[in-house]
Amino acid sequence: MAEDHHVTIDGKRWLLRFTKLKGDAAGWTFFDNAKRPRLLIDENLRGWARIETILHELAHAALGPNISEEAVTELAKVQRRVLQRLYDVTPKEDA
């Protein structure tokens, strides 16, 4: 069952949905419908994999579709590592 949330990025309201995804993707960012942009995250992800994927998809949304996948991936990895070091916390699902 999908779990929906909403986030505002650069004045635009985005749907953030945790749901079952087809294929190997952990997440998707859809810009195609400017009236209802959305971020989809695989509901099966847990722990730091889930956090890194959320950061990754939020970066796509905030930076736009013209930023390379490699840059977005690196940004999400750096952000996740910083959060891990700053808070020295393991998400419940990883424990």
Side-chain angles (χ1 to χ4, degrees), residues 9-87:
I9 302 169
D10 198 23
K12 189 181 292 186
R13 189 169 189 218
W14 288 73
L15 171 66
L16 171 61
R17 176 173 284 169
F18 295 94
T19 190
K20 184 174 179 140
L21 298 180
K22 295 179 182 178
D24 295 335
W28 289 97
T29 301
F30 290 95
F31 297 94
D32 60 339
N33 184 342
K35 290 184 180 180
R36 193 167 165 223
R38 58 201 182 281
L39 308 168
L40 303 180
I41 308 294
D42 188 336
E43 67 186 6
N44 294 316
L45 291 174
R46 298 289 180 257
W48 287 109
R50 179 178 259 215
I51 291 170
E52 188 172 317
T53 301
I54 294 167
L55 292 169
H56 179 104
E57 299 309 328
L58 286 170
H60 275 303
L63 299 173
N66 297 323
I67 303 300
S68 74
E69 188 67 20
E70 293 79 14
V72 169
T73 297
E74 182 60 23
L75 175 60
K77 285 181 180 184
V78 167
Q79 290 173 321
R80 188 235 337 127
R81 285 193 306 263
V82 168
L83 289 172
Q84 280 179 298
R85 288 182 185 140
L86 283 176
Y87 295 102

